[in-house]
C-alpha cells in the first residue's frame, strides 16, 4: 500500500500560544452567536462550550492543509454528535477550510451548511454523523486503515457525553482498546447536558473515566477551557502509541457569555436582544 | 482401554469436534474466491463478526491475517469501521449472518455506507428459511431492507455455481453491495468452474411462450422444477434468474412479460418488499398488465427447521410455484 507523504509536505502552520488561541476562540464564539441569531436555529450553548476545544484542535493540534481537504495524510476529525455545527462551521471557516462567505447560509433552505454536519459540505466533513453513537466506529475504522496503509495520520473523534448512552459507542470502545489504536484520540465534550437536562437525571453514567480505562483507553479528565491542559493532554495522547486515548474535557454550556453560562438548554432560541447582550459580553469578557 | 478411549486423548483438537459435527464436507466457494480476489487487489479487507467458518472467511483469516479484522459480535461497530476504512481507500467485505448484517445495523448501513456510496460489501449468510436455528436467525426481510436504501445494489447468487462470481460482481459495482449468500449443501459436487454473475443482468435459464417465473437464490432451482411440472401439463414456461434484485434488469423483465403476460415471482424471503414487490412495481409502472402472483413467505415469521420441511410448510416448493402459476394464468391443472 501507499506510504505517507507527510514528511515532505507542510501542513498548515499551527497556533499553540494560549493567548493567541483565546483570541481565536473568542472570535469563534462571536460567530456562533451571529450564525444562530438570524434563524434561531443551531446549538448555542454547546457551541460556546466547545469553542476552546475546536480552536485547539483545528488551529493547534491537527495536521491539515486547508487548500487540500482530501490530502491523504491529513488527520481525520469526526464530530460524532454532528449537531454542534455553529461552532464547527465557524471553525472551518476561520481556518480556511470552507469559504467564510458561505457561513451565513447556515440553516437556510438549499444550503449545504445544515444543522447536522453532512458531507454535502464536501470532504471537510469526514463522515455524516448525527445518528448518535456512530462516529467512534468510523474513527476506529480510519485508524485501522492508517495502520494498514502505512500512514501516520491520527483520528480525532469528539463525542457528546449523553451520546455515551448509545450501545455502539461501547462496541467501538471495545474494538479500539482491543486493537491498541494509539492513533485514535477520543475527546468527550463533557458538558453534562442532554435533551432532557443533566445527564445524571436521565441515565447515570458515572464513573466515566473508569469505564474508558477499563476498555483499554488511556484516560484523563481536564478543564476543556484551559489551553495548557488541552494541549498537554493531546501531547500525552500522541505519546501513548500503544493504546487509544480518551480526554474527558469538562466544558460549560454557554461559556464566555455570562448571561448564558451554565444554562442547560439543549436547543435554546436566541432572541435578538439576548444575542446582542451575549456579543457584548464576549467583547467585554475575560478573553477580551 | 478401548481404542475409542485412546482417541479421546490430548491429541484431540477443537476442530476435530467441529468436523465431526458437520454433515459432510462443504466447499468454500465464496471464501476461496475472496482470498483470490484479495491477493490481486490489496485494498480488500475482510471483517467478520465472529462467524468465520459460517461465512467462509476462515481461509482469509488464515491466509491474509493482516487484512482480516475480528470485529467481535458487534455488527453496528463493524459497519461503522468499514465505512471509515472505505473512506481511506480500502474495500471492506463485512460478514455475518444475513439477519445481523442487515436488520441489526440498518441505520449504520444507511448513514455510513449507503448515503456516502462507499465501496463496502455487506455479505450475509443464512438467507430466509435455511436454518434450524429459528426465527432469530432467519433473514426474511433483508432484501426489502437493503433494497429500500438509495445507492445499494442487492445480489443473491442462484446457488453454488454463482458463488465465486459473486465476489467479482461485488467488486464490479462501484459502491455498496449487499450479497445474500447460501453455503452449498454438504456433499455438493463442485466442478471447479461455476457460472458468471453480471450485476444488473437477469439470466434467461429457460424460454417459455405461456409465461415466466422470475426467481432468485435457492428458489431458482424450484422455479426450474415448476417449469418442468407445467411443461408436462402442456404449458411453456420460462425461468429468469434475477440474481441482481436491485437494480432490477427492467429490460429483460419487460421483454419476457410482453411476450408472455403471466409472471410469477419466487423468493426465499417475505413477499413484502423483496423480488416480488420489485417486479410488480416495475411492471405496473411500465404499463404492462400480466397475470401475476408472488411465491415467498406470506407476510409471516417462520420457525426453525430443515429447509425442505420449511419450504413445504410455508408454501414455497416447486408444486406451490406451479399452482400459483396456474392461478395467475387462469389455468386449471
Amino acid at each position: 500500500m501507499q506510504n505517507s507523504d507527510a514528511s515532505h509536505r507542510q501542513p498548515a502552520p499551527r497556533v499553540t500560544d494560549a493567548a493567541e488561541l483565546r483570541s481565536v476562540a473568542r472570535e469563534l464564539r462571536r460567530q456562533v452567536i451571529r450564525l444562530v441569531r438570524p434563524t434561531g436555529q443551531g446549538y448555542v450553548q454547546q457551541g460556546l462550550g466547545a469553542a476552546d476545544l475546536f480552536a485547539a484542535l483545528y488551529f493547534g493540534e491537527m495536521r491539515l492543509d486547508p487548500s487540500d481537504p482530501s490530502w491523504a495524510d491529513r488527520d481525520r476529525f469526526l464530530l460524532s454528535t454532528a449537531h454542534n455545527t455553529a461552532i464547527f462551521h465557524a471553525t472551518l471557516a476561520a481556518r480556511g477550510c470552507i469559504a467564510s462567505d458561505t457561513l451565513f447560509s447556515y440553516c437556510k433552505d438549499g444550503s449545504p451548511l445544515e444543522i447536522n454536519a453532512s458531507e454535502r459540505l464536501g470532504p471537510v466533513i469526514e463522515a455524516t454523523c448525527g445518528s448518535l453513537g456512530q462516529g467512534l466506529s468510523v474513527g476506529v475504522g480510519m485508524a485501522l486503515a492508517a495502520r494498514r496503509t502505512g500512514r501516520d495520520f491520527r483520528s480525532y473523534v469528539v463525542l457528546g457525553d449523553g451520546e455515551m448512552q448509545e450501545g455502539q459507542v461501547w462496541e467501538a470502545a471495545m474494538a479500539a482498546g482491543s486493537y491498541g489504536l494509539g492513533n485514535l484520540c477520543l475527546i468527550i465534550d463533557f458538558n453534562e447536558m442532554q435533551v432532557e437536562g443533566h445527564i445524571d437525571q436521565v441515565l447515570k453514567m458515572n464513573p466515566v473515566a473508569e469505564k474508558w480505562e477499563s476498555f483499554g483507553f488511556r484516560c484523563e479528565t481536564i478543564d476543556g477551557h484551559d489551553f495548557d491542559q488541552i494541549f498537554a493532554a493531546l501531547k500525552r495522547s500522541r505519546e501513548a502509541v500503544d493504546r487509544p486515548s480518551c480526554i474527558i474535557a469538562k466544558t460549560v454550556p454557554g461559556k464566555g457569555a455570562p448571561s448564558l453560562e451554565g444554562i442547560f438548554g439543549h436547543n435554546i432560541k436566541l432572541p435578538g436582544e439576548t444575542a446582542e447582550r451575549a456579543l457584548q459580553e464576549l467583547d467585554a469578557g475575560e478573553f477580551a | 482401554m478401548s481404542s475409542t478411549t485412546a482417541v479421546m486423548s490430548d491429541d484431540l483438537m477443537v476442530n476435530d469436534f467441529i468436523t465431526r459435527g458437520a454433515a459432510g464436507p462443504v466447499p468454500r466457494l465464496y471464501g476461496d474466491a475472496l482470498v483470490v480476489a484479495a491477493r490481486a487487489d490489496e485494498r480488500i479487507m475482510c471483517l467478520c463478526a465472529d462467524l468465520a467458518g459460517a461465512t467462509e472467511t476462515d481461509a482469509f483469516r488464515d491466509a491474509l491475517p493482516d487484512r482480516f479484522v475480528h470485529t467481535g459480535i458487534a455488527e453496528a461497530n463493524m459497519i461503522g469501521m468499514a465505512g471509515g476504512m472505505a473512506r481511506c481507500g480500502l474495500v471492506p467485505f463485512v460478514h455475518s449472518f444475513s439477519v445481523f448484517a442487515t436488520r441489526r445495523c440498518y441505520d449504520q448501513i444507511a448513514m455510513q455506507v449507503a448515503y456516502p456510496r462507499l465501496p463496502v460489501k455487506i455479505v450475509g449468510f443464512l438467507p430466509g428459511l435455511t436454518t434450524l436455528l429459528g426465527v432469530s436467525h432467519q433473514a426474511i426481510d433483508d432484501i426489502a431492507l437493503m433494497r429500500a436504501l438509495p445507492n445499494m445494489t442487492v445480489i443473491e447468487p442462484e446457488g453454488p455455481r454463482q458463488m465465486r462470481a459473486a465476489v467479482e460482481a461485488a467488486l464490479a459495482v462501484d459502491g455498496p453491495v449487499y450479497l445474500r449468500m447460501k453455503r452449498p449443501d454438504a456433499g455438493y459436487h463442485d466442478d471447479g468452474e461455476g457460472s458468471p454473475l453480471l450485476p444488473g443482468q437477469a439470466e434467461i435459464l429457460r424460454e417459455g411462450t405461456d409465461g415466466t417465473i422470475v426467481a432468485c437464490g435457492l428458489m431458482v432451482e424450484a422455479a426450474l422444477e415448476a417449469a418442468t411440472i407445467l411443461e408436462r401439463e402442456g404449458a411453456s414456461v420460462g425461468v429468469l434468474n434475477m440474481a441482481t434484485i436491485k437494480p432490477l434488469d427492467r429490460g429483460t423483465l419487460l421483454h419476457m412479460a410482453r411476450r408472455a403476460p403471466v409472471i410469477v415471482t419466487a423468493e426465499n424471503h417475505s413477499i413484502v418488499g423483496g423480488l416480488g414487490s420489485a417486479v410488480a412495481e416495475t411492471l405496473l409502472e411500465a404499463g404492462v398488465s400480466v397475470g401475476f402472483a408472488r411465491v415467498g413467505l406470506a407476510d409471516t415469521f417462520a420457525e426453525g427447521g430443515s429447509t425442505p420441511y420449511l419450504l413445504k410448510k410455508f408454501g414455497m416448493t416447486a408444486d406451490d410455484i406451479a399452482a400459483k402459476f396456474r392461478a395467475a394464468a387462469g389455468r386449471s391443472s
Side-chain angles (χ1 to χ4, degrees):
Chain A
M1 302 296 285
Q2 292 170 301
N3 287 315
S4 171
D5 68 350
S7 57
H8 55 81
R9 178 165 166 176
Q10 289 299 312
R14 294 184 170 96
V15 179
T16 52
D17 176 70
E20 203 176 334
L21 281 166
R22 277 196 290 274
S23 170
V24 168
R26 185 185 56 187
E27 183 51 30
L28 293 177
R29 287 189 165 95
R30 284 199 191 102
Q31 282 290 53
V32 167
I33 303 291
R34 292 189 200 115
L35 288 175
V36 170
R37 182 172 52 184
T39 61
Q41 296 296 328
Y43 293 83
V44 183
Q45 296 301 78
Q46 297 89 331
L48 298 177
D52 300 310
L53 294 175
F54 274 83
L57 285 166
Y58 268 87
F59 283 80
E61 173 67 9
M62 292 196 297
R63 183 167 74 200
L64 52 90
D65 178 355
S67 68
D68 182 6
S70 300
W71 180 23
D73 284 309
R74 71 194 182 279
D75 287 334
R76 304 310 200 261
F77 174 81
L78 295 151
L79 176 63
S80 187
T81 52
H83 62 250
N84 201 1
T85 42
I87 186 62
F88 191 11
H89 291 156
T91 305
L92 289 172
R95 191 56 162 146
C97 298
I98 59 173
S100 291
D101 58 6
T102 63
L103 265 189
F104 292 92
S105 68
Y106 182 54
C107 294
K108 293 181 180 156
D109 287 350
S111 170
L113 281 79
E114 299 165 86
I115 293 188
N116 266 26
S118 99
E119 56 207 273
R120 284 180 65 218
L121 195 51
V124 291
I125 305 300
E126 300 279 4
T128 301
C129 297
S131 174
L132 297 182
Q134 298 188 8
L136 185 57
S137 297
V138 178
V140 170
M142 288 173 165
L144 283 170
R147 183 184 274 181
R148 164 71 194 138
T149 57
R151 294 186 184 275
D152 64 354
F153 67 77
R154 294 172 61 72
S155 285
Y156 293 87
V157 180
V158 171
L159 203 73
D161 46 9
E163 191 176 10
M164 287 188 289
Q165 291 156 8
E166 288 282 3
Q168 185 182 353
V169 169
W170 301 101
E171 292 185 6
M174 210 178 304
S178 179
Y179 307 145
L181 294 176
N183 54 357
L184 176 72
C185 180
L186 169 67
I187 298 138
I188 297 177
D189 180 1
F190 202 83
N191 61 16
E192 302 184 70
M193 177 176 78
Q194 59 186 112
V195 173
E196 291 294 323
H198 193 283
I199 52 171
D200 274 350
Q201 290 175 337
V202 179
L203 204 64
K204 290 182 176 56
M205 286 187 286
N206 281 310
V208 173
E210 287 86 343
K211 285 187 175 67
W212 289 99
E213 277 163 6
S214 72
F215 278 76
F217 282 63
R218 192 195 143 277
C219 188
E220 59 182 300
T221 302
I222 62 165
D223 176 349
H225 303 299
D226 180 324
F227 285 108
D228 291 333
Q229 289 191 36
I230 295 170
F231 282 116
L234 290 169
K235 180 167 181 283
R236 284 189 286 271
S237 166
R238 266 183 274 117
E239 290 167 351
V241 294
D242 60 345
R243 57 188 168 140
S245 296
C246 171
I247 299 169
I248 300 172
K250 292 197 162 183
T251 57
V252 176
K255 178 74 177 177
S259 61
L260 297 175
E261 261 181 37
I263 295 174
F264 274 28
H266 176 74
N267 193 7
I268 63 170
K269 302 299 175 195
L270 207 56
E273 62 192 56
T274 312
E276 200 52 46
R277 182 174 170 193
L279 281 174
Q280 285 169 8
E281 289 175 345
L282 282 165
D283 287 341
E286 57 175 313
F287 303 142
Chain B
M1 299 278 281
S2 72
S3 59
T4 307
T5 309
V7 170
M8 294 294 287
S9 71
D10 293 346
D11 295 330
L12 268 176
M13 307 290 279
V14 66
N15 279 338
D16 295 323
F17 293 93
I18 290 171
T19 305
R20 286 166 188 214
V26 177
R28 196 169 45 204
L29 303 174
Y30 163 78
D32 290 342
L34 185 63
V35 172
V36 170
R39 288 194 197 281
D41 183 345
E42 60 184 7
R43 300 171 306 157
I44 293 175
M45 297 286 286
C46 179
L47 284 68
C48 183
D50 201 39
L51 287 169
T55 60
E56 303 190 353
T57 51
D58 44 349
F60 196 116
R61 177 194 66 202
D62 299 339
L64 299 165
D66 292 347
R67 293 159 70 183
F68 181 90
V69 180
H70 282 292
T71 67
I73 311 163
E75 296 78 11
N77 182 51
M78 174 166 71
I79 295 294
M81 290 197 299
M85 289 178 176
R87 288 179 184 277
C88 295
L90 301 175
V91 178
F93 281 63
V94 305
H95 301 83
S96 183
F97 289 143
S98 292
V99 68
F100 308 130
T102 58
R103 189 202 285 160
R104 192 179 181 95
C105 43
Y106 194 58
D107 185 41
Q108 286 79 10
I109 295 171
M111 286 295 97
Q112 303 311 333
V113 175
Y115 175 63
R117 207 179 197 130
L118 292 172
V120 174
K121 316 302 178 183
I122 299 161
V123 188
F125 283 76
L126 292 192
L129 305 184
T130 56
T131 175
L132 295 161
L133 287 166
V135 70
S136 61
H137 283 57
Q138 286 168 341
I140 62 167
D141 49 15
D142 52 329
I143 294 175
L145 290 169
M146 292 298 104
R147 200 169 76 80
L149 290 173
N151 301 332
M152 185 65 72
T153 294
V154 180
I155 294 175
E156 180 172 21
E158 175 257 301
R161 73 179 178 91
Q162 282 190 316
M163 282 187 79
R164 280 194 191 83
V167 175
E168 270 177 56
L171 285 169
V173 174
D174 182 21
V177 175
Y178 172 50
L179 284 184
R180 189 179 205 240
M181 307 294 271
K182 179 190 171 300
R183 297 202 70 194
D185 294 326
Y188 170 77
H189 175 70
D190 175 43
D191 65 6
E193 294 191 4
S195 309
L197 197 174
L198 301 174
Q201 289 187 30
E203 186 184 8
I204 301 172
L205 297 178
R206 184 178 165 130
E207 300 271 3
T209 53
D210 293 323
T212 303
I213 304 165
V214 182
C216 62
L218 62 76
M219 297 302 281
V220 171
E221 189 181 341
L224 288 166
E225 279 178 45
T228 302
I229 293 168
L230 292 161
E231 186 178 36
R232 287 199 290 267
E233 300 167 9
S236 165
V237 178
V239 174
L240 205 53
N241 170 23
M242 196 63 86
T244 306
I245 296 137
K246 184 185 177 185
L248 200 73
D249 184 348
R250 191 170 176 277
T252 305
L253 174 67
L254 294 181
H255 167 75
M256 302 289 268
R258 286 185 174 122
R259 199 174 62 171
V262 178
I263 296 283
V264 173
T265 61
E267 62 198 302
N268 173 28
H269 182 270
S270 169
I271 57 169
V272 178
L275 175 68
S277 295
V279 167
E281 292 159 13
T282 303
L283 293 172
L284 260 177
E285 286 183 344
V288 177
S289 178
V290 297
F292 183 77
R294 293 171 293 170
V295 175
L297 264 182
D299 197 16
T300 179
F301 288 102
E303 64 196 43
S306 70
T307 300
Y309 169 81
L310 293 176
L311 292 178
K312 190 164 171 47
K313 173 162 184 171
F314 289 96
M316 293 161 60
T317 64
D319 285 332
D320 297 309
I321 298 171
K324 289 265 189 181
F325 185 92
R326 287 182 208 109
R331 299 167 69 100
S332 53
S333 56

